[in-house]
Amino acid sequence: MLREVAEKYYEQGYNCAEAMLRAGNEYYNLQLHDSDMRMVAAFGGGFQSGDICGALSGSACIISCKYIETKAHDNQEELKAITQKLMDTFEARMSSKLCSVIKPIYYTPEVKCRNTVGLSAEVLESVIHEFEEQK
């Protein structure tokens, strides 16, 4: 399960976005390099400001890597559909898309944001699974 892989990376010290992208790279064989994954470091902590959850941002990056071969405009309708499904499903599951709202609910000093990462991975995996079944 993607959740276990994402939690593994989070426990290695990667932030929410980094853990999600590394997990997606491994789980979906996206063939990204370490240098590619550094690009999402600033997404953690809701873009370091409590804004859009880093785990959600990392999930969107996985969708892009998985489904876009050249650029978004070449596959705009499909990208929009799966990304909107991700956003809606994530918000329904987590009560918000904002780190500043999610963190007080799921963060604990013992596990930090591991719960958020795990639940985000479950959301992403279900969205991708449903999307692939509908194709």
Side-chain angles (χ1 to χ4, degrees):
M1 289 180 62
L2 180 59
R3 180 182 185 132
E4 293 162 353
V5 181
E7 288 177 343
K8 171 187 78 173
Y9 283 109
Y10 186 79
E11 290 169 1
Q12 291 176 10
Y14 293 103
N15 71 28
C16 298
E18 293 170 318
M20 288 300 297
L21 188 57
R22 286 181 178 277
N25 186 50
E26 180 178 321
Y27 194 76
Y28 295 112
N29 193 29
L30 300 176
Q31 300 179 1
L32 298 172
H33 303 317
D34 279 344
S35 60
D36 300 327
M37 291 181 274
R38 288 193 324 248
M39 288 187 286
V40 300
F43 295 2
F47 287 85
Q48 307 299 311
S49 65
D51 208 318
I52 297 295
C53 173
L56 175 57
S57 300
S59 295
C61 291
I62 293 166
I63 285 173
S64 294
C65 289
K66 187 164 173 50
Y67 296 108
I68 301 302
E69 291 183 28
T70 54
K71 59 187 177 291
H73 291 289
D74 290 346
N75 200 8
Q76 188 63 40
E77 287 184 37
E78 191 172 77
L79 179 64
K80 183 176 182 176
I82 191 170
T83 303
Q84 191 60 57
K85 179 70 174 173
L86 172 68
M87 300 296 279
D88 293 345
T89 306
F90 183 93
E91 186 170 24
R93 176 63 182 93
M94 306 300 285
S95 303
S96 180
K97 294 179 272 192
L98 299 177
C99 177
S100 61
V101 174
I102 295 167
K103 190 173 180 178
I105 299 168
Y106 296 100
Y107 179 94
T108 69
E110 298 78 29
V111 298
K112 300 182 172 131
C113 291
R114 188 180 77 204
N115 296 324
T116 299
V117 168
L119 292 169
S120 299
E122 287 180 2
V123 166
L124 176 62
E125 188 172 17
S126 71
V127 166
I128 288 175
H129 179 75
E130 181 180 320
F131 180 75
E132 301 238 336
E133 282 192 340
Q134 291 175 354
K135 281 176 86 173

